[in-house]
Amino acid sequence: MPEGAAASGHDDEVVVDEEDIGYKAPEKKSVNQIVGLDEEDEALNKYKKSLLGGAVVSGEAPMEGPLEVSVLKMTFLAEGREPIELDLTGDLSKLKDSSIVIKEGCEYQLNFTFKVGCQIVSGLRFIQHISRKGIPAGKLNLMLGSFGPREVPHEFKTPLDEAPKGALSRAKYHAKCKFTDDDKCVHLEWEWTFKIQSDW
């Protein structure tokens, strides 16, 4: 199942995120700085276009101002059923009250939809801690990458994974999630619950 991490359902539990060994955050540059880099370098221009999209050519996207990362939704994708969307723009407390059902042993992915405004977010990361009856049951610390500002939301799909199976795995789980970046800025935190069952 979403191998989110070892967070427990206890509100007073402190979850410590592990640092990536050997990872060093790249030098931070603003959108204007990147746009102004060597315009004769074809490879660099392709990189700028992939990172910044229309902000490079149109000049209409805001080039100054604080970084804005808005996580819009998380979608659970699995064969044999319709996608399950979790709206991350409204009352996040409701996500804990309505558990989604996940079939044991199914292959699944999580798809995130988010927008970036004004500046580049470097090292955007999804961290998830999962617990079962307060006992750590799994964790995920996934680097999404760096993303530039643009009007169209970004999409990121996690690698294919398999939900646990067997009688002992059938239970209700609690997940604590957050989006952070190289600057340790937390852009969104939320909690959700799910049930592993023998069928959808």
Side-chain angles (χ1 to χ4, degrees):
M1 63 132 301
E3 292 207 358
S8 124
H10 298 164
D11 292 336
D12 58 352
E13 177 172 349
V14 177
V15 175
V16 179
D17 298 321
E18 299 176 358
E19 295 288 340
D20 283 347
I21 298 176
Y23 174 74
K24 183 178 180 181
E27 180 184 355
K28 193 169 183 178
K29 292 183 180 295
S30 70
V31 172
N32 283 338
Q33 286 176 316
I34 291 181
V35 170
L37 294 175
D38 192 353
E39 297 180 357
E40 302 302 320
D41 188 324
E42 184 176 349
L44 182 57
N45 285 332
K46 287 182 179 180
Y47 169 73
K48 289 192 290 185
K49 188 174 181 180
S50 67
L51 181 63
L52 302 175
V56 175
V57 294
S58 69
E60 296 177 359
M63 296 294 186
E64 296 296 344
L67 171 65
E68 298 173 359
V69 178
S70 301
V71 187
L72 306 178
K73 62 182 178 180
M74 179 178 78
T75 306
F76 180 86
L77 305 171
E79 284 193 27
R81 67 152 303 131
E82 293 295 315
I84 304 173
E85 290 189 357
L86 299 183
D87 181 7
L88 300 179
T89 63
D91 184 356
L92 299 178
S93 64
K94 294 181 179 180
L95 298 179
K96 294 188 296 182
D97 302 328
S98 180
S99 301
I100 71 170
V101 173
I102 298 176
K103 180 181 178 180
E104 62 175 342
C106 77
E107 291 189 331
Y108 72 91
Q109 291 175 286
L110 298 178
N111 187 78
F112 297 104
T113 304
F114 56 95
K115 294 194 72 172
V116 178
C118 295
Q119 297 298 330
I120 295 165
V121 58
S122 177
L124 187 63
R125 185 183 296 272
F126 171 65
I127 299 171
Q128 180 171 251
H129 295 80
I130 291 178
S131 65
R132 174 180 172 178
K133 295 182 179 180
I135 300 174
K139 60 184 178 180
L140 177 65
N141 191 327
L142 181 65
M143 172 68 77
L144 278 65
S146 298
F147 301 86
R150 69 181 192 187
E151 291 300 318
V152 180
H154 293 278
E155 301 272 351
F156 184 91
K157 190 179 293 184
T158 63
L160 197 64
D161 205 347
E162 181 178 318
K165 54 188 174 183
L168 294 179
S169 69
R170 297 173 200 152
K172 182 177 180 178
Y173 296 81
H174 175 258
K176 287 186 176 181
C177 309
K178 66 180 177 180
F179 268 91
T180 182
D181 62 23
D182 282 343
D183 293 326
K184 308 302 181 185
C185 176
V186 177
H187 299 288
L188 184 69
E189 290 184 281
W190 76 97
E191 300 176 33
W192 63 293
T193 60
F194 57 90
K195 296 177 181 178
I196 299 291
Q197 298 184 356
S198 59
D199 208 343
W200 296 112

